[in-house]
Amino acid sequence: GDIYDVITLADNKYGVFLGDVSGKGFSAAMVMVMVRTLFRTTAAFHDSPRLTLIHLNRLLSREMVDGMFVSAVYVIIAAKRRQIFLSCAGQSPPVFWAVERETTQVQLLRHTGMAMGLGDTQLFRDKVTELVFQMEPGTGILLYTDGITEAMNEQRQEFGEERLLEVVETSGHFEPERMLANIYGAIDLFRGSAPQSDDMTVFCIKCVR
């Protein structure tokens, strides 16, 4: 049920969409295909991730089967201005980090809103906020689905947000590929012989120059 997509927008901008469809199996896969199609349609109309998610929720609320929903985070990267615009719809809180000399500061972005597909309501519109970040070299944002933090070990303990933050903190000065490898490596070590319980998707965005 996980989905991610990267699109090219006008004026040297890029869109990064990451989502998670409730449920598993064939029905979740079919909804995922619909979400990707509708996302690409709505993203073409808006420069704002918040307005895109509001538009997408309106369309999904007409089509979703009762009891199903979609959580998502959408980021627009304005490369020329080194700015990132970010909105969440019930997705796991993204991680922002900044490397200052030898120290990495990490922060969970708790403005997560509510999931899409449950109704085109004023409550949804009120809860979806838009954050703006001025990115400098050494700063980055990590997007992920709940399969990362809810990965379980043999004792049914979850990997959790604190362990994720620790990996980001110790990996903030590395290139994105190394950070992703460290995250998956830490989860594999934590899980031990326990089976993977959910899809795991991570997307790393970092300003390098």
Side-chain angles (χ1 to χ4, degrees):
D2 283 5
I3 177 176
Y4 74 90
D5 201 3
V6 181
I7 59 174
T8 301
L9 303 170
D11 301 323
N12 199 28
K13 294 179 181 178
Y14 304 90
V16 178
F17 180 88
L18 186 146
D20 188 0
V21 178
S22 64
K24 300 182 185 299
F26 182 75
S27 59
M30 292 300 294
V31 172
M32 180 177 66
V33 172
M34 178 180 67
V35 171
R36 182 176 185 271
T37 301
L38 293 178
F39 160 69
R40 288 197 158 225
T41 299
T42 56
F45 288 96
H46 305 286
D47 288 331
S48 159
R50 177 178 178 270
L51 294 180
T52 302
L53 292 182
I54 289 173
H55 190 172
L56 181 57
N57 176 63
R58 184 183 308 125
L59 298 178
L60 287 174
S61 294
R62 300 172 185 168
E63 304 294 337
M64 295 288 283
V65 177
D66 288 345
M68 294 194 73
F69 57 88
V70 180
S71 60
V73 56
Y74 179 39
V75 169
I76 292 180
I77 303 169
K80 287 182 179 178
R81 292 180 288 166
R82 289 185 176 177
Q83 287 182 322
I84 282 182
F85 303 82
L86 181 151
S87 291
C88 275
Q91 188 55 271
S92 302
V95 180
F96 174 82
W97 81 90
V99 177
E100 299 176 1
R101 297 181 182 177
E102 299 301 319
T103 303
T104 301
Q105 303 294 329
V106 296
Q107 178 186 359
L108 278 175
L109 307 177
R110 294 289 188 182
H111 300 266
T112 53
M114 63 182 290
M116 297 183 292
L118 299 174
D120 181 20
T121 64
Q122 186 61 45
L123 178 62
F124 179 89
R125 291 187 285 274
D126 290 342
K127 284 187 171 292
V128 177
T129 59
E130 184 167 308
L131 305 177
V132 183
F133 299 89
Q134 186 66 48
M135 306 295 288
E136 300 296 338
T139 59
I141 290 178
L142 189 80
L143 314 177
Y144 59 97
T145 57
D146 59 10
I148 296 294
T149 51
E150 294 178 3
M152 290 187 181
N153 62 14
E154 298 165 353
Q155 290 74 43
R156 305 295 292 174
Q157 299 169 321
E158 292 186 349
F159 185 71
E161 293 175 347
E162 290 303 319
R163 289 185 179 87
L164 177 61
L165 290 176
E166 288 174 5
V167 179
V168 174
E169 184 176 3
T170 57
S171 305
H173 58 288
F174 292 132
E175 67 277 10
E177 293 84 358
R178 176 75 176 274
M179 176 179 284
L180 295 180
N182 288 350
I183 291 171
Y184 282 116
I187 292 173
D188 287 342
L189 186 63
F190 173 80
R191 278 176 38 220
S193 60
Q196 182 175 328
S197 57
D198 197 4
D199 296 336
M200 296 191 297
T201 305
V202 192
F203 202 100
C204 180
I205 303 168
K206 184 178 181 179
C207 179
V208 295
R209 59 183 175 85

